[in-house]
């Protein structure tokens, strides 16, 4: 065959065959797009901090940061001592410690939930009304004066009969207060706890629709997290995964699935001494949640530890090691978010997150750079791996573990390039490869 001539290939099927098959699968194609839109590409906070409604104050975020810094000053005043407690390498000790302190100084909390459920408990209606209205005023004020966390909102009482009306009213008071003050901020997050049946999710959707209609908001403006705290939310009576039904019942409004460590453990009869996020029962529940949420755009969050880093230094160090280990364990299992219940948990939350991203940064950046540049190496990566590598780097950037300058230097890619790899179009995971190779050389 002469140079420039295109080889003629033979086929056996008429073009109509492909058209007929495509037509038959069109409903499936549409269903895939609807049910599995992929990750939204937005920032996911590394944690959620729960503060009881009556305790939440205008200075809560700054107060938590200051208390966490004080804990470091008292129990690990330098990088070497902090690294010794957590077992950090000499290479990681200084950069992790410096970044932790900087984080606590400028953004100590990434996601804050004012709690009206277990952390608040039953109160007289007038008292809860006032607390909910006050929470709205304080959160509105935080957004107005630029002291808000990236994400803020409330956890209302659940949709069970005994507390349903109270939960609905608290949500109404809170959202109405926000609307009157500043409207609904972009970082608003609502958490629905103790969901057992998909019908409770459907009912909550109808509630949000009613609020949107009352205020002339776009349909779907209000999303929410589903908290998994009962065995029935994992396995239904017919043997199916209830949590998968809940995601669909949310009609596109579900943003997260949060594992409730202690309620779920107690529901299964796990004794108090063994209720922890690394218990086999917890691993099973979170694995089901993870599979149910995969591809839907719904993120999964781990729970918390109830061991607080308080008291003498030796006790604080023990609690820090426990929390650090649990957080690292969760990150390795792709649970990129968890709960923190005390200011003393913040140093080890960020230390674990920063160590996780910094220790794997150079390898991830190198692999992605070789993939983008079509350069061979000792690992044969595929488009799906490039997606995972870019997602890893983006999460590291979002939380402050990495800087865009060092990522660009090692990958030759811009943030836009990373985002293109992290969220390719369905069925076209290679779409961004050639374009990123070019645009990344800026």
């Amino acid at each position: 065959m002469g140079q420039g001539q295109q080889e003629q290939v033979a086929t056996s099927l008429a073009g109509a065959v492909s058209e007929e098959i495509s037509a038959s699968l069109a409903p499936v194609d549409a269903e895939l797009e609807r049910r599995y839109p992929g990750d939204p590409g937005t920032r996911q906070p590394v944690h959620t901090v729960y503060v009881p409604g009556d305790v939440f104050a205008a200075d809560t975020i700054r107060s938590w940061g200051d208390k966490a810094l004080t804990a470091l000053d008292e129990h690990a005043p330098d990088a070497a001592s902090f690294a010794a407690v957590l077992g950090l390498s000499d290479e990681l000790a200084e950069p992790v410690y410096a970044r932790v302190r900087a984080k606590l100084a400028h953004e100590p909390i990434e996601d804050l939930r004012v709690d009206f459920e277990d952390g608040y408990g039953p109160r007289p209606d007038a008292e809860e009304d006032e607390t909910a209205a006050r929470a709205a005023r304080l959160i509105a004020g935080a957004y107005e004066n630029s002291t808000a966390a990236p994400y803020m909102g409330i956890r209302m009482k659940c949709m069970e009969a005994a507390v349903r009306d109270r939960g609905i009213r608290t949500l109404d008071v809170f959202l109405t207060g926000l609307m009157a003050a500043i409207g609904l901020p972009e970082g608003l997050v609502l958490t629905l706890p103790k969901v057992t049946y998909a019908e409770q999710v459907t009912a909550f959707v109808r509630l949000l629709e009613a609020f949107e209609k009352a205020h002339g908001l776009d349909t779907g403006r209000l999303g929410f997290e589903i908290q998994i705290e009962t065995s029935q939310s994992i396995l239904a009576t017919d043997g199916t995964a209830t949590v998968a039904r809940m995601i669909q019942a949310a009609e596109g409004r579900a943003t997260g699935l949060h594992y409730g460590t202690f309620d779920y453990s107690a529901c299964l009869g796990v004794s108090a001494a063994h209720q922890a996020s690394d218990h086999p029962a917890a691993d099973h529940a979170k694995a089901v949640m993870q599979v149910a949420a995969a591809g839907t755009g719904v993120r999964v969050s781990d729970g918390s530890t109830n061991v607080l880093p308080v008291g003498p230094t030796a006790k604080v160090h023990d609690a820090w090691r426990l929390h650090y280990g649990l957080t690292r364990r969760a990150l390795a299992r792709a649970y990129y978010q968890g709960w923190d219940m005390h200011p003393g948990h913040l140093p080890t939350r960020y230390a674990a997150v920063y160590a996780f991203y910094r220790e794997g940064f150079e390898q991830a950046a190198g692999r992605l750079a070789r993939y983008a540049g079509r350069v061979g190496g000792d690992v044969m990566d595929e488009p799906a791996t490039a997606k995972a590598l870019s997602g890893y780097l983006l999460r590291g950037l979002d939380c402050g573990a990495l800087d865009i300058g060092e990522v660009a230097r090692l990958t030759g890619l811009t943030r836009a390039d990373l985002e293109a790899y992290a969220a390719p179009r369905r069925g076209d995971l290679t779409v961004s490869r050639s374009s990123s190779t070019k645009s990344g050389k800026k």
Side-chain angles (χ1 to χ4, degrees):
M1 181 179 297
Q3 187 175 4
Q5 291 182 307
Q6 185 173 0
E7 182 180 0
Q8 298 297 314
V9 297
T11 61
S12 302
L13 301 176
V17 174
S18 179
E19 293 174 3
E20 290 173 4
I21 289 176
S22 293
S24 71
L25 289 176
V28 172
D29 295 338
E31 187 79 345
L32 282 171
E33 289 292 339
R34 184 177 71 85
R35 293 185 181 274
Y36 300 101
D39 189 86
T42 55
R43 175 181 180 179
Q44 181 180 11
V46 302
H47 69 169
T48 300
V49 163
Y50 279 80
V51 179
D54 57 322
V55 175
F56 178 58
D59 67 344
T60 291
I61 295 175
R62 186 62 265 147
S63 174
W64 273 56
D66 291 342
K67 289 176 181 178
L69 285 168
T70 298
L72 280 177
D73 290 340
E74 182 175 353
H75 304 293
D78 52 46
S81 57
F82 196 47
V85 174
L86 304 181
L88 295 174
S89 67
D90 292 342
E91 182 181 5
L92 285 175
E94 189 59 47
V96 166
Y97 190 75
R99 286 172 185 270
V100 168
R101 293 196 68 98
K103 182 74 167 182
L104 296 175
H106 80 268
E107 190 183 75
I109 294 176
E110 292 196 359
D111 183 25
L112 186 145
R113 206 72 70 251
V114 183
D115 191 15
F116 288 89
E117 206 233 352
D118 286 347
Y120 185 73
R123 306 288 181 102
D125 284 342
E127 181 179 347
E128 185 157 339
D129 280 353
E130 172 51 34
T131 306
R134 176 174 167 272
R137 291 194 301 270
L138 291 176
I139 289 178
Y143 277 100
E144 288 181 318
N145 61 29
S146 301
T147 60
Y151 299 93
M152 298 184 77
I154 67 167
R155 177 171 72 166
M156 56 181 282
K157 290 178 171 63
C158 69
M159 296 298 282
E160 293 177 356
V163 295
R164 183 183 304 140
D165 289 345
R166 181 62 258 179
I168 292 172
R169 181 173 175 84
T170 295
L171 181 69
D172 189 7
V173 170
F174 173 74
L175 291 178
T176 300
L178 271 184
M179 287 296 298
I182 60 169
L184 301 183
E186 287 301 315
L188 176 66
V189 187
L190 307 174
T191 304
L192 179 65
K194 293 184 175 60
V195 184
T196 305
Y197 282 81
E199 289 80 359
Q200 294 169 327
V201 174
T202 299
F204 196 60
V205 170
R206 301 289 87 82
L207 174 63
L208 298 181
E209 285 177 342
F211 188 88
E212 289 165 349
K213 184 176 180 180
H215 289 271
L217 298 170
D218 292 338
T219 301
R221 170 64 181 85
L222 289 165
F224 62 98
E225 302 166 334
I226 300 170
Q227 199 163 350
I228 303 302
E229 302 178 85
T230 67
S231 60
Q232 296 92 339
S233 61
I234 294 297
L235 194 68
T237 55
D238 63 359
T240 59
T242 316
V243 65
R245 295 181 185 175
M246 292 176 180
I247 292 173
Q248 296 309 312
E251 300 176 17
R253 294 176 184 264
T255 59
L257 299 174
H258 283 231
Y259 176 68
T261 305
F262 304 103
D263 281 284
Y264 187 87
S265 299
C267 181
L268 268 63
V270 178
S271 62
H274 297 281
Q275 292 177 0
S277 61
D278 59 351
H279 190 279
D283 285 341
H284 171 259
K286 287 179 287 188
V288 174
M289 292 162 59
Q290 189 174 49
V291 173
T296 65
V298 177
R299 273 97 174 244
V300 175
S301 173
D302 199 0
S304 63
T305 175
N306 58 0
V307 179
L308 304 183
V310 297
T313 295
K315 187 176 179 181
V316 170
H317 285 180
D318 286 343
W320 273 352
R321 277 187 286 267
L322 173 66
H323 185 240
Y324 177 86
L326 291 174
T327 303
R328 286 301 306 264
R329 183 180 189 273
L331 290 167
R333 286 159 175 77
Y335 308 131
Y336 299 114
Q337 185 175 355
W339 296 6
D340 289 327
M341 310 302 288
H342 187 274
H345 286 142
L346 299 185
T348 38
R349 169 67 62 181
Y350 292 122
V353 170
Y354 290 173
F356 175 76
Y357 289 114
R358 292 207 65 80
E359 70 185 16
F361 160 52
E362 291 189 4
Q363 182 185 49
R367 287 175 65 179
L368 187 58
R370 288 191 294 273
Y371 178 87
R374 299 174 183 259
V375 177
D378 58 353
V379 178
M380 183 178 292
D381 285 326
E382 298 182 353
T385 307
K387 178 179 178 179
L389 291 168
S390 56
Y392 174 89
L393 296 175
L394 286 168
R395 286 190 294 272
L397 288 168
D398 286 342
C399 70
L402 306 175
D403 299 324
I404 189 60
E406 60 184 347
V407 172
R409 185 171 62 254
L410 292 187
T411 63
L413 302 174
T414 67
R415 182 175 179 110
D417 295 330
L418 296 176
E419 291 172 348
Y421 278 122
R425 295 192 301 266
R426 178 177 297 283
D428 191 13
L429 281 169
T430 61
V431 67
S432 59
R433 180 166 182 166
S434 60
S435 62
S436 290
T437 302
K438 296 174 182 177
S439 63
K441 305 304 181 183
K442 297 175 182 177

